[in-house]
């Protein structure tokens, strides 16, 4: 089964004037109705200018190879926070923690090198048993024969525990991590989680205070394998400013939070919608790594990344002007029929399952990709060892965002 | 056909004959040599095809490009003889070349 088409009718996508297409409209994402718009853009206007949207004017890049070309051209296409950063919504000037995801070389390179070894496959191998133990506990605690929300009980809980494991963060306080992540990604406004910049800043300062205590504790103890200890003892990090320390922490918390959460939820939904693929997996658990990659492609947890043009640039017969906002729609590149065979189908034994754009490409390619894959691999190994089926009871509600592509809830039942 | 030998991290060896024009990432993937992922398909954009080139062959393979340098910045355990396999194209003068694989690709 392909993706549902609830929401705006497909006619809209084919009859609307090309120049009026605005794929950033959050309603499209809540309704999962963006697919036909992207199919049309890929075909008729692969480099497309939207002159007005709630996020201002922007270019859409929708084909796999064009996205690759932008992603690998950091000389022209900048991630710099001061120019607006990495998402379609401009990063405000107010509270800007230094994070290398929103920096260009050479600053980006120096910072990334510090964080990268912490989530290297070698380092993760030492954490695997701990992660597995926690996954087992969560799964063993799930009810049978009654409905519950998989997002809250499993996806959020697991990613939160994983972050706590990575930081060796006091376990009973772990939901603070989710909270801080939510705070960091909230744009203050009346009725939101935080209403003013000051409020947001004071909560982030609490977060810094907490992590400072952990730093002091670890810096005075022998080096260990957790992230904070590694930062506190690392040659190039032990003299970091508090601002930089907090920036890197928040980046890791945010980077690994929604994305992994929605991949976990997405995997359960995909398996429910594709019973044939689930049967294949049960018959041959060796397919788990390939199924994990296919899920991450199919889900595309971050629908896009944004760049800002540093100079005029001719691209596919269009002129992108210096200062223009350029959106690389990974969600569309992952469905580009000229590069990926039967892209709308979920096929766990594809020939090249790792060929997808969900982690981005070039110098900003996701540094946590192996950790994300490891979490999904472990969870599916443990699911197969326990459950015969996970039934999805109703269509999930989706996040109304053109950036975080995910689920607000996923009501499931594990047959008794 | 040009003979290229891949040495696994555990010391095991695989020698394969590759056609002129294919790159060493493609050569590994096509021959099911584990340890080279090649996620970006050879666009020099993922660094999951990191290999070490045996010293004797370094002059023949030539220098890294600027983009290759940037991508290798973020690979694990990079040495002076580190290269991205997708950026090395098979040609006659590379006959007999040996490349070693790292413990893992990040
Ligand atoms: C399936 C899960 C994940 C997806 C789909 C994902 C996606 C991405 C993407 C698309 C980028 C590229 C940003 C850009 O080009 O501007 C990125 C960068 C990044 N991700 Fe992930 N991510 C995931 C999991 C994680 C995890 C678990 C962590 C934490 C360890 C993490 C940490 C980061 C960091 C620190 C960066 C910045 C890299 C840089 O700018 O050099 N991600 N991620
Ligand atoms: S295959 Fe991606 S860099 Fe070589």
């Amino acid at each position: 089964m392909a993706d549902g088409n609830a929401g705006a009718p497909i006619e809209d996508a084919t009859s609307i004037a090309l120049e009026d297409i605005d794929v950033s409209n959050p309603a499209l994402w809540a309704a999962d109705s963006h697919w036909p718009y992207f199919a049309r853009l890929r075909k008729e206007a692969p480099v497309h200018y939207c002159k007005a949207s709630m996020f201002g004017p922007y270019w859409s890049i929708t084909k796999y190879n064009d996205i690759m070309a932008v992603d690998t051209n950091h000389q022209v296409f900048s991630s710099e926070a001061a120019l607006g950063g990495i998402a379609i919504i401009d990063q405000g000037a107010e509270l800007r923690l230094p994070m290398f995801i929103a920096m260009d070389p050479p600053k980006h390179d120096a910072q990334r090198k510090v964080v990268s070894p912490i989530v290297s496959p070698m380092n993760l191998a030492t954490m695997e048993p701990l992660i597995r133990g926690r996954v087992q506990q969560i799964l063993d605690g799930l009810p049978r024969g009654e409905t519950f929300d998989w997002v809250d009980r499993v996806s959020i809980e697991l990613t939160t525990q994983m972050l706590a494991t990575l930081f060796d963060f006091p376990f009973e306080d772990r939901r603070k991590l989710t909270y801080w992540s939510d705070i960091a990604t909230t744009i203050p406004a009346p009725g939101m989680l935080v209403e003013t910049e000051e409020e947001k800043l004071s909560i982030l300062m609490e977060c810094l205070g907490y992590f400072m205590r952990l730093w002091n504790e670890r810096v005075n103890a022998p080096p260990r394998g957790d992230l904070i200890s590694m930062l506190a003892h690392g040659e190039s990090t032990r003299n970091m400013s508090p601002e930089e320390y907090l920036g890197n922490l928040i980046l890791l918390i945010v980077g690994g939070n929604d994305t992994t959460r929605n991949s976990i939820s997405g995997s359960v939904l995909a398996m429910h919608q594709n019973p044939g693929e689930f049967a294949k997996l049960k018959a041959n658990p060796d397919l788990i790594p390939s199924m994990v990659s296919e899920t991450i492609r199919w889900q595309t947890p971050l629908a896009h990344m944004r760049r800002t043009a540093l100079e005029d640039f001719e691209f596919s017969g269009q002129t992108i002007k210096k200062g223009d906002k350029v959106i690389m729609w990974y969600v569309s590149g992952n469905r580009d029929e000229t590069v990926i065979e039967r892209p709308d189908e979920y096929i766990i034994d594809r020939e090249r399952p790792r060929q997808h754009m969900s982690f981005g490409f070039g110098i900003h390619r996701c540094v946590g990709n192996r950790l994300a894959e490891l979490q999904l691999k472990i969870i599916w190994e443990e699911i197969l060892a326990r459950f015969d089926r996970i039934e999805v009871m109703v269509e999930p509600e989706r996040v109304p965002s053109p950036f975080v592509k995910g689920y607000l809830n996923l009501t499931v039942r594990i047959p008794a | 056909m040009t003979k290229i030998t891949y040495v696994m991290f555990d010391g095991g060896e695989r020698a394969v004959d590759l056609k002129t024009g294919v790159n060493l990432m493609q050569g590994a993937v096509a021959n099911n040599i584990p340890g080279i992922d090649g996620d970006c398909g050879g666009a020099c954009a993922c660094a999951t095809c990191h290999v070490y080139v045996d010293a004797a062959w370094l002059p023949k393979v030539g220098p890294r490009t600027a983009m290759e340098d940037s991508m290798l910045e973020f690979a694990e355990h990079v040495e002076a003889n580190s290269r991205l396999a997708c950026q090395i194209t098979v040609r006659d003068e590379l006959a007999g070349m040996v490349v070693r694989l790292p413990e893992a690709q990040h």
Side-chain angles (χ1 to χ4, degrees):
Chain A
M1 193 166 95
D3 299 279
N5 284 316
I10 298 213
E11 293 82 67
D12 270 358
T14 47
S15 60
I16 187 174
L18 207 48
E19 59 171 39
D20 291 333
I21 290 182
D22 171 16
V23 281
S24 75
N25 174 10
L28 281 181
W29 299 86
D32 200 31
S33 300
H34 48 274
W35 304 106
Y37 289 86
F38 282 117
R40 182 154 172 224
L41 288 184
R42 282 196 302 276
K43 211 158 147 217
E44 297 177 27
V47 176
H48 174 265
Y49 191 65
C50 171
K51 54 188 184 310
S53 81
M54 63 183 285
F55 308 105
Y58 66 92
W59 291 94
S60 283
I61 316 292
T62 47
K63 296 205 66 161
Y64 189 101
N65 289 321
D66 290 344
I67 293 170
M68 181 72 90
V70 171
D71 228 354
T72 51
N73 192 349
H74 54 268
Q75 288 87 356
V76 173
F77 297 106
S78 168
S79 296
E80 176 57 49
L83 299 176
I86 51 153
I88 191 164
I89 180 158
D90 291 319
Q91 189 169 340
E94 315 74 31
L95 213 153
R96 197 177 291 142
L97 288 167
M99 301 189 193
F100 60 88
I101 196 168
M103 293 177 189
D104 292 334
K107 263 176 21 204
H108 162 268
D109 303 11
Q111 299 247 321
R112 173 166 172 141
K113 262 197 247 179
V114 168
V115 169
S116 177
I118 297 168
V119 282
S120 73
M122 286 73 92
N123 203 41
L124 292 179
T126 64
M127 284 185 210
E128 175 162 350
L130 197 53
I131 297 178
R132 187 177 301 278
R134 293 187 165 165
V135 169
Q136 289 169 338
Q137 258 187 358
I138 293 174
L139 296 182
D140 285 339
L142 295 176
R144 305 279 186 127
E146 51 181 89
T147 60
F148 64 92
D149 180 16
W150 182 271
V151 170
D152 188 60
R153 290 285 298 263
V154 185
S155 306
I156 294 183
E157 186 54 26
L158 188 62
T159 22
T160 308
Q161 291 199 14
M162 222 58 74
L163 283 169
T165 306
L166 202 63
F167 292 126
D168 196 7
F169 189 88
F171 207 58
E172 60 290 356
D173 278 349
R174 64 184 180 277
R175 285 262 170 162
K176 280 189 197 295
L177 293 169
T178 324
Y179 176 65
W180 291 330
S181 174
D182 291 343
I183 294 287
T185 51
T186 300
I187 301 156
M192 301 297 284
L193 195 57
V194 282
E195 304 206 332
T196 62
E197 281 296 331
E198 296 74 57
E199 193 187 345
K200 179 168 171 176
L201 186 65
S202 89
I203 294 168
L204 289 179
M205 284 303 116
E206 262 171 52
C207 167
L208 178 62
Y210 198 112
F211 275 111
M212 274 304 186
R213 282 204 303 284
L214 296 182
W215 174 288
N216 292 333
E217 189 186 296
R218 312 267 153 102
V219 82
N220 294 317
R224 294 201 309 245
D226 69 87
L227 199 140
I228 297 171
S229 178
M230 287 175 94
L231 290 174
H233 291 275
E235 208 171 303
S236 48
T237 44
R238 60 180 172 227
N239 296 320
M240 254 190 314
S241 71
E243 239 199 341
E244 249 181 344
Y245 175 50
L246 185 62
N248 279 323
L249 288 170
I250 296 280
L251 175 56
L252 287 167
I253 295 173
V254 172
N257 197 31
D258 291 341
T259 50
T260 316
R261 175 198 304 180
N262 289 317
S263 307
I264 295 171
S265 303
S267 67
V268 170
L269 182 62
M271 281 301 171
H272 173 82
Q273 291 180 345
N274 299 273
E277 298 303 297
F278 187 35
K280 264 193 222 164
L281 189 69
K282 285 210 281 194
N284 180 10
D286 289 347
L287 286 173
I288 289 176
S290 148
M291 170 269 189
V292 164
S293 289
E294 173 68 349
T295 301
I296 294 171
R297 178 191 74 88
W298 178 87
Q299 179 59 37
T300 319
L302 295 178
H304 77 264
M305 280 287 159
R306 167 262 181 89
R307 300 290 185 259
T308 308
L310 293 176
E311 54 189 69
D312 289 3
F313 193 76
E314 294 292 327
F315 198 53
S316 263
Q318 312 272 358
T319 306
I320 295 174
K321 289 269 193 250
K322 178 177 175 174
D324 282 357
K325 194 188 284 200
V326 179
I327 309 299
M328 303 179 284
W329 292 105
Y330 297 143
V331 67
S332 172
N334 276 339
R335 303 296 174 104
D336 184 344
E337 44 286 276
T338 63
V339 173
I340 296 170
E341 252 179 77
R342 292 150 67 198
D344 288 328
E345 290 171 48
Y346 179 81
I347 306 171
I348 65 167
D349 51 356
R350 283 183 183 277
E351 200 169 329
R352 294 202 47 216
R354 302 188 60 84
Q355 182 196 35
H356 65 71
M357 316 207 93
S358 299
F359 292 126
F361 282 115
I363 60 166
H364 289 282
R365 180 176 167 79
C366 181
V367 80
N369 73 78
R370 300 288 165 177
L371 176 59
E373 290 173 352
L374 180 66
Q375 294 180 42
L376 270 125
K377 176 176 98 74
I378 293 176
I379 193 171
W380 274 94
E381 285 167 358
E382 298 300 326
I383 286 175
L384 290 185
R386 281 172 180 69
F387 309 138
D388 207 39
R389 250 186 99 188
I390 304 170
E391 295 171 280
V392 175
M393 309 306 288
V394 284
E395 265 293 304
E397 287 180 276
R398 290 161 201 271
V399 181
S401 159
F403 187 56
V404 172
K405 184 169 167 294
Y407 310 93
L408 298 172
N409 47 45
L410 187 67
T411 308
V412 302
R413 183 175 63 194
I414 301 170
Chain B
M1 291 295 213
T2 301
K3 195 179 110 181
I4 304 285
T5 301
Y6 297 84
V7 183
M8 314 299 143
F9 187 73
D10 67 8
E13 284 185 20
R14 286 278 305 277
V16 293
D17 287 314
L18 301 181
K19 272 204 222 127
T20 298
V22 307
N23 66 54
L24 294 196
M25 180 279 289
Q26 292 168 326
V29 171
N31 288 287
N32 292 316
I33 292 173
I36 292 185
D37 296 329
D39 290 1
C40 75
C44 196
C46 70
T48 65
C49 62
H50 177 201
V51 295
Y52 304 103
V53 173
D54 256 26
W57 303 95
L58 272 179
K60 287 194 180 142
V61 297
R64 300 173 188 158
T65 62
M67 184 62 185
E68 189 179 351
D69 250 335
S70 300
M71 292 309 297
L72 274 170
E73 287 252 8
F74 311 121
E76 242 50 57
H77 305 303
V78 173
E79 307 286 345
N81 63 340
S82 288
R83 291 296 307 265
L84 293 178
C86 69
Q87 300 303 301
I88 301 175
T89 306
V90 173
R91 42 190 202 279
D92 292 345
E93 53 176 336
L94 299 186
M97 183 160 97
V98 177
V99 295
R100 287 183 299 116
L101 305 194
E103 186 174 2
Q105 306 283 352
H106 185 165

